Amino acid sequence: MSERMHVRIVPMNGDHLDEVAELERICFSTPWSRNMLAEELDNLLSAFLVALDDNDRVVGYAGLQVVLDEGYITNVAVRPECRRQGVASQLLEVFMNFAKGNRLAFLTLEVRASNYDAIALYGSRGFRSVGRRKKYYEHPKEDAVIMTKEFDYGTETADA
């Protein structure tokens, strides 16, 4: 990884929607629409974060949905020219701290099987591959690797 890019991680709000929708179009073959993203702002189960550069431009974003004690990372996207500079890692760090603080059992996500950089990033953050979803992605058709990071709060004892 090259030098770590200085970003501020803040909750996504309506002012960020155009840039986040643009990021979806750049990064994903089946992007979420601006309306879909806007709906997440009103979803009490969702937490969407943006990474802002020194000029307050959105350079990355990530989404999390929480159901009971389970966290589902829905989206992680970083502008191509800002990748490999720690932006996604910083977004994930906020979600991992949230998971620990709110005693979530795990965080989970799906990633394209060919997205080796993302798989390596998630692996470096303690996520492990727990399965595959066959032909999960369209354009092109591809399997998803399911990656999960479990959190342990010491409820079990070693000799139990």
Side-chain angles (χ1 to χ4, degrees), residues 4 6 15 17 25 27-28 34 51 64 125 130 142 144 157:
R4 200 165 157 96
H6 179 264
D15 295 341
L17 286 172
R25 288 191 299 274
C27 295
F28 301 115
R34 189 184 189 283
L64 175 70
R125 308 304 302 192
V130 295
E142 188 173 354
T157 55

Side-chain angles (χ1 to χ4, degrees), residues 19-147:
E19 286 181 280
V20 171
E22 178 196 8
L23 202 49
E24 275 282 318
R25 288 191 299 274
I26 292 168
C27 295
F28 301 115
S29 60
T30 312
W32 285 26
S33 69
R34 189 184 189 283
N35 283 349
M36 291 167 73
L37 292 161
E39 286 173 14
E40 293 304 316
L41 293 176
D42 298 325
N43 183 345
L44 298 177
L45 300 177
S46 290
F48 275 67
L49 301 173
V50 293
L52 303 175
D53 68 10
D54 292 332
N55 299 313
D56 283 340
R57 183 176 77 129
V58 174
V59 295
Y61 94 103
L64 175 70
Q65 291 182 333
V66 177
V67 180
L68 301 174
D69 65 345
E70 303 172 357
Y72 298 89
I73 296 175
T74 55
N75 319 53
V76 177
V78 176
R79 287 189 179 280
E81 68 274 17
C82 301
R83 290 182 186 155
R84 304 189 75 81
Q85 297 177 58
V87 176
S89 188
Q90 290 174 73
L91 288 161
L92 282 174
E93 188 72 31
V94 174
F95 284 158
M96 291 191 321
N97 289 337
F98 174 88
K100 290 175 195 160
N102 289 276
R103 296 189 167 270
L104 299 188
F106 61 80
L107 289 175
T108 192
L109 55 86
E110 286 105 1
V111 59
R112 276 189 185 271
S114 64
N115 192 344
Y116 304 117
D117 287 345
I119 290 168
L121 167 68
Y122 300 135
S124 75
R125 308 304 302 192
F127 286 77
R128 56 191 178 82
S129 174
V130 295
R132 283 174 97 86
R133 295 195 200 284
K134 295 287 181 202
K135 298 185 175 88
Y136 181 78
Y137 292 103
E138 302 280 337
H139 317 297
K141 271 224 180 299
E142 188 173 354
D143 291 357
V145 176
I146 305 164
M147 298 188 76

